[in-house]
Amino acid sequence: MTSGCKFLCVALIALGLAGCIAAPIDMTTQTETRLMAQAPVRFLLTFDDGPSASGWWNPTATVLDSLKSNPLQADIKAVFFVQTRAPRAGDSEIGRSLMHREHAEGHILAFHTATHWHTNHRSLDPQELEQSLTDGSADIAAITGAQPKLLRPPFWNYDKRTFAAYQKHGLHVLLTDLSANDGKIWGFNASPRRRANMLRQLSEVRERIAVGQLPMVDGVIPVVVTFHDLNRYTARHTREYLQILLDSAAATGVRLADKPFYDNHAALEKAALARTVQQSTEPVNLPGMWNWIWDHDAH
């Protein structure tokens, strides 16, 4: 992207965070009838960009505390897409310690980046991408004892070349159904319309559930939700976000499983793998403006 395009994208994202969120899609009688024939939903939580290297009120540690103990469901498990070679993330003593904690507490460590910066994989030449995938997989395996299976490319962006490289390393691309829009945008570190945003997005996902577009795994339909654990705003509001998800489900007519979140590592991994992209040419449904921001032939 040129600097001008990047600025435009950032401005549009910031605008989206601040407002301009469409109203939820009204549920028709047809959709309501179709939903009754579908399995209940379980939210599959994911966190990008961490772990935080901060020694002051560490947001990743706060997120982990909230997942472990909250009023809704104890010991929630999530997928953490980590930056293993970023100095403000995994390439630090604090970051490595937190990745060990994530693994010890039953969360999944998955690959995001193994470069110094949060770099789009499409901008890396083949040798750089290969080195990044090799380094990141080794970094995660050193903690978990096994090669990672899941990957989320930065900015959701991939093409045939990068997708083939992922497959070579046994990495499966997991995108998302819902986004909290909580990524940092040049210092913008909040989500003032978080309820309206989640409500609108879940109403869109509900339409896909009703027509059977999302798979059932172990009797439930996994709906992937994305947050960013580097964001202190997210960390402060993690428990509220969990409640927002439940409230949004009730408001949009989405039936939830008895356990609305995953609390078992094996079940979480199985569900996540079932939601991965199988081919680089497969159409994707990204929330909000992401489908517009990235050219469609990127996938």
Side-chain angles (χ1 to χ4, degrees):
M1 281 189 179
T2 65
S3 58
C5 288
K6 289 180 180 178
F7 179 80
L8 176 61
C9 289
V10 166
L12 287 169
I13 294 170
L15 180 63
L17 289 169
C20 300
I21 296 172
I25 299 172
D26 290 334
M27 184 162 66
T28 64
T29 302
Q30 183 183 50
T31 295
E32 186 175 10
T33 300
R34 287 174 170 174
L35 275 178
M36 292 175 62
Q38 300 293 339
V41 159
R42 179 169 291 152
F43 292 117
L44 195 165
L45 305 183
T46 68
F47 292 85
D48 288 5
D49 294 353
S52 171
S54 177
W56 169 74
W57 199 80
N58 187 285
T60 299
T62 304
V63 166
L64 289 170
D65 291 342
S66 296
L67 294 177
K68 187 174 183 63
S69 178
N70 61 79
L72 302 178
Q73 185 178 328
D75 294 319
I76 296 171
K77 309 305 180 192
V79 180
F80 286 86
F81 290 97
V82 296
Q83 300 191 75
T84 66
R85 299 285 172 112
R88 296 180 64 184
D91 193 19
S92 64
E93 288 188 16
I94 293 175
R96 283 185 286 272
S97 174
L98 283 166
M99 286 191 288
H100 278 282
R101 176 182 170 184
E102 288 165 353
H103 173 62
E105 294 185 359
H107 302 288
I108 293 176
L109 286 182
F111 183 89
H112 197 44
T113 75
T115 49
H116 187 86
W117 304 107
H118 186 265
T119 305
N120 190 328
H121 290 170
R122 295 178 71 196
S123 69
L124 301 175
D125 64 37
Q127 293 76 24
E128 290 173 326
L129 179 59
E130 175 66 22
Q131 190 64 56
S132 175
L133 296 173
T134 298
D135 289 344
S137 294
D139 294 337
I140 292 173
I143 295 172
T144 66
Q147 295 288 110
K149 298 178 181 179
L150 297 168
L151 171 145
R152 176 172 288 159
F155 312 107
W156 321 102
N157 205 228
Y158 60 88
D159 56 19
K160 292 181 180 179
R161 175 181 70 91
T162 60
F163 195 89
Y166 304 154
Q167 290 183 312
K168 176 183 174 182
H169 284 262
L171 293 165
H172 305 269
V173 174
L174 180 66
L175 299 177
T176 199
D177 301 309
L178 307 173
S179 172
N181 286 349
D182 63 337
K184 288 187 178 182
I185 307 298
W186 285 1
F188 195 95
N189 196 20
S191 183
R193 300 204 61 196
R194 51 196 178 277
R195 285 185 175 273
N197 167 62
M198 204 65 78
L199 192 63
R200 168 65 189 190
Q201 289 186 23
L202 189 55
S203 74
E204 294 172 347
V205 173
R206 178 199 63 208
E207 301 301 303
R208 295 172 58 204
I209 294 171
V211 296
Q213 290 184 2
L214 273 60
M216 179 178 68
V217 183
D218 292 335
V220 298
I221 297 174
V223 169
V224 185
V225 190
T226 296
F227 300 96
H228 293 76
D229 57 301
L230 287 187
N231 192 332
R232 284 192 168 87
Y233 181 90
T234 299
R236 288 196 302 272
H237 294 86
T238 299
R239 292 182 176 90
E240 180 190 0
Y241 272 120
L242 299 178
Q243 184 64 59
I244 287 173
L245 286 169
L246 269 58
D247 293 346
S248 297
T252 56
V254 172
R255 182 164 57 98
L256 295 179
D258 291 339
K259 288 187 176 181
F261 305 101
Y262 283 88
D263 60 4
N264 177 273
H265 179 102
L268 173 65
E269 182 177 81
K270 183 178 180 181
L273 287 170
R275 294 302 318 278
T276 55
V277 180
Q278 301 303 306
Q279 301 178 29
S280 62
T281 55
E282 182 178 323
V284 299
N285 289 282
L286 293 173
M289 295 181 291
W290 286 104
N291 276 330
W292 177 86
I293 291 173
W294 297 116
D295 52 325
H296 288 242
D297 66 357
H299 307 294

